[in-house]
Amino acid sequence: MLDINLIRRDPDRVRRSCERRGIDPSSVDEILRLDEQYRSAQTAVQTLLSQKNAHSATIARADDKAEAAKALRPQLDDLAQQIAAAEERAEMISPQRADSPLRALLENLPNILDSAVPDGKTEEDNVEVRRVGTPRAFDFEVKPHWTIGESLGILDFERAAKLAGSRFGILIGDGARLSRALIDFFLDRARAKSYVEVVPPYLVTRRTMWSTGQLTKFSDAMFCDPEADLFMIPTSEVPLTALHGEEILSIEDLPRRYAAYSPCFRKEAGAAGKDTRGLMRQHQFEKVELVWLTVPESSGDVLDSLTADAEALLSELELSHRVVALCAGEIGFNSAKTYDVEVWIPSEGRYREISSCSNCTDFQARRADIRFRRDPKKKPEFVHTLNGSGLAVGRTLIAILENYQQADGSITIPLALRSYFNGEKIERSST
RNA sequence: GGAGAGGUGGCAGAGCGGUUGAAUGCGGCGGUCUUGAAAACCGUUGAACCUUCACGGGUUCCGUGAGUUCGAAUCUCACCCUCUCCGCCA
């Protein structure tokens, strides 16, 4: 959520940001109009309440309170009427109200883009920042990971469909072990970089989901239990970011780094027909997520080091990758600036997203109410929140299967992973 | 799921329906004292919002939401959460 004060002070900046994202900026004017109305209504209510309180204080001070109350009766009754009327007017547009139009408009404004974000509408307009490693050259025909996995007996999509329908996969034997090895590897590396490991709830309340900006009209539908009103997390960014919701941290608490391995659940309603085969896009996948809470002035640098942390994992796995700066039209609702880390997928002959690192500035912190105090005397300020995958387990698995495939159909395990996997190779016979 | 207890400021813990945003203690901050520190003593110390160029003024907040009242932390109702015991269970 944006700061209403910022919208008042610099509406043009907000409009420009909306336009760059390809979103109609007209709601900014509507917000300004409603906000003006609301504030004058509020002032009216407060003036009347102040008068009423003065009368009550008079009664409280009087020796004969009943008598005093009786004497002030006419004024009090008159005030009560006026207050009720004024309150009704203010209540209509109060942003506190769940169905307030002002609130709805405010909540649906995306974060303000960082000035460094490149213009553009689609993936094509993303700007490559750097490339690391060279895609491996194959002297045989590369196979897609599902073919490799199924013939090795470590991936099973048919039975997954039997159990759960489309967009599910089953990891078996060495496939499951490799996945577990990756999780361990990722978490160990995160720990080495001072991230604190967390096992968060995988189901969260509507409020929590709302607080990190996942529940908006721009969001894809999530799995949920309507009866319990609990939502299955689409990423552990949600519980990790909201961890310190409604808290005021002290400056010594910052920066705060958290890492969580968790399953993630997504309906992928908007992705019909995309990546229908294989592990690329599933209703359930696993991920190690990295989250930072920082002071505002350092979030820019933190985004770089967070991205570097994600990349380092790929470098260590010797997987060729690149970093792209997302263009204005591609950046998520919460984010001011996002780098995607993309890994080389041989069967597609291109790089695919394996981590998305975002600086959400104070946007989520304002919704979730995560603040800090620089000094015991200073006012609390909102922290900045950042998140990135480190990494998506399923997609890393894809990358390993495809990039490390051998002519005989076996898989060589990346060096960095061998001690975790406890082996060097996956072969047909080994399952 | 059944039975009970409880939710007050950073924490602990008071609070006959009336100048209570809230005693007291701890902690925090500032100061006195000290070569320095500790101790002691003094002072100060919640948040959001509205209004003002500013000084300041005002409103709201004691789990949440309604209600009674001129006036509610205090009374009524509903809901939520936490804890204890029982049942079930990985």
Side-chain angles (χ1 to χ4, degrees):
Chain A
M1 192 148 61
L2 296 180
D3 183 2
I4 183 73
N5 289 306
L6 171 70
I7 303 176
R8 278 179 210 149
R9 229 183 312 118
D10 195 357
D12 280 340
R13 189 168 158 219
V14 182
R15 286 194 200 98
R16 249 180 287 124
S17 173
C18 284
E19 277 161 5
R20 294 188 69 203
R21 282 179 181 271
I23 286 167
D24 179 16
S26 65
S27 63
V28 172
D29 300 286
E30 187 65 4
I31 287 170
L32 288 172
R33 196 177 61 79
L34 288 169
D35 175 56
E36 183 57 46
Q37 272 181 27
Y38 171 64
R39 278 188 299 159
S40 70
Q42 191 181 205
T43 305
V45 170
Q46 290 184 357
T47 308
L48 291 166
L49 279 174
S50 170
Q51 287 170 31
K52 187 189 82 170
N53 287 344
H55 287 313
S56 284
T58 307
I59 295 171
R61 248 177 279 127
D63 294 326
D64 188 341
K65 297 180 180 20
E67 183 58 35
K70 207 171 162 187
L72 285 167
R73 185 94 255 161
Q75 287 102 304
L76 286 165
D77 287 348
D78 184 44
L79 272 174
Q81 255 184 22
Q82 290 189 56
I83 289 168
E87 271 179 339
E88 198 185 336
R89 255 176 281 131
E91 177 67 14
M92 296 271 283
I93 40 176
S94 164
Q96 260 72 286
R97 216 169 95 160
D99 60 350
S100 147
L102 176 54
R103 176 173 169 160
L105 290 169
L106 216 45
E107 283 183 3
N108 284 314
L109 275 184
N111 200 355
I112 294 189
L113 293 172
D114 188 286
S115 55
V117 169
D119 284 325
K121 284 195 168 85
T122 67
E123 204 177 328
E124 315 299 306
D125 303 316
N126 294 342
V127 173
E128 185 175 291
V129 176
R130 61 181 162 271
R131 243 173 230 234
V132 180
T134 323
R136 178 184 156 196
F138 290 88
D139 53 9
F140 57 91
E141 198 186 333
V142 294
K143 295 184 198 122
H145 70 277
W146 56 85
T147 305
I148 303 166
E150 282 176 331
S151 63
L152 284 171
I154 62 174
L155 279 179
D156 190 334
F157 293 101
E158 257 179 60
R159 292 194 176 94
K162 177 178 73 181
L163 298 182
S166 64
R167 291 207 188 280
F168 285 91
I170 300 175
L171 298 173
I172 299 173
D174 283 349
R177 277 180 56 225
L178 183 56
S179 167
R180 181 157 54 85
L182 280 170
I183 294 162
D184 264 358
F185 169 72
F186 292 156
L187 285 172
D188 278 0
R189 293 303 179 270
R191 181 160 175 261
K193 290 186 168 148
S194 304
Y195 290 88
V196 175
E197 187 174 341
V198 173
V199 180
Y202 304 145
L203 298 172
V204 300
T205 59
R206 176 181 297 276
R207 187 181 151 59
T208 301
M209 203 57 98
W210 176 86
S211 77
T212 54
Q214 258 71 24
L215 277 179
T216 68
K217 64 178 180 185
F218 300 107
S219 68
D220 288 337
M222 277 167 287
F223 288 103
C224 72
D225 176 350
E227 205 183 324
D229 207 29
L230 286 173
F231 293 74
M232 297 167 88
I233 56 172
T235 157
S236 39
E237 166 198 338
V238 174
L240 289 184
T241 303
L243 201 60
H244 292 287
E246 293 161 73
E247 291 181 26
I248 300 176
L249 305 167
S250 66
I251 187 97
E252 298 84 50
D253 291 332
L254 299 173
R256 209 114 217 193
R257 307 172 185 83
Y258 291 112
Y261 150 73
S262 84
C264 305
F265 306 94
R266 297 185 184 179
K267 283 196 171 171
E268 297 293 353
K274 247 200 244 172
D275 302 314
T276 47
R277 290 205 73 176
L279 288 174
M280 189 59 82
R281 193 177 298 274
Q282 306 243 297
H283 285 314
Q284 173 191 317
F285 64 98
E286 320 212 286
K287 188 153 65 78
V288 170
E289 184 74 1
L290 307 174
V291 163
W292 287 67
L293 306 184
T294 81
V295 293
E297 58 272 25
S298 57
S299 68
D301 292 338
V302 166
L303 179 61
D304 291 337
S305 57
L306 172 60
T307 308
D309 289 344
E311 281 186 87
L313 298 165
L314 291 172
S315 295
E316 214 182 332
L317 293 171
E318 297 173 86
L319 289 167
S320 164
H321 61 276
R322 64 172 195 163
V323 178
V324 299
L326 292 196
C327 71
E330 284 275 292
I331 290 196
F333 180 76
N334 290 322
S335 178
K337 185 181 182 186
T338 298
Y339 290 116
D340 272 7
V341 180
E342 300 181 335
V343 69
W344 180 256
I345 302 295
S347 69
E348 298 189 34
R350 61 171 174 148
Y351 292 95
R352 293 294 307 265
E353 174 190 337
I354 197 164
S355 172
S356 191
C357 302
S358 297
N359 182 0
C360 299
T361 60
D362 61 355
F363 191 81
Q364 291 178 313
R366 185 167 285 108
R367 286 180 162 238
D369 193 17
I370 314 165
R371 292 175 292 173
F372 77 101
R373 219 187 285 272
R374 285 182 198 277
D375 186 277
K377 284 183 184 154
K378 291 255 173 70
K379 286 248 161 211
E381 298 171 55
F382 289 108
V383 302
H384 278 195
T385 64
L386 300 99
N387 66 77
S389 351
L391 297 164
V393 176
R395 291 190 176 181
T396 310
L397 208 72
I398 294 173
I400 291 176
L401 291 188
E402 296 203 2
N403 284 286
Y404 282 86
Q405 61 180 301
Q406 306 301 313
D408 65 0
S410 69
I411 304 295
T412 311
I413 302 297
L415 279 172
L417 220 49
R418 291 190 181 170
S419 61
Y420 288 91
F421 181 73
N422 217 353
E424 299 179 4
K425 235 175 158 21
I426 298 178
E427 294 172 292
R428 172 81 205 162
S429 55
S430 63
T431 332

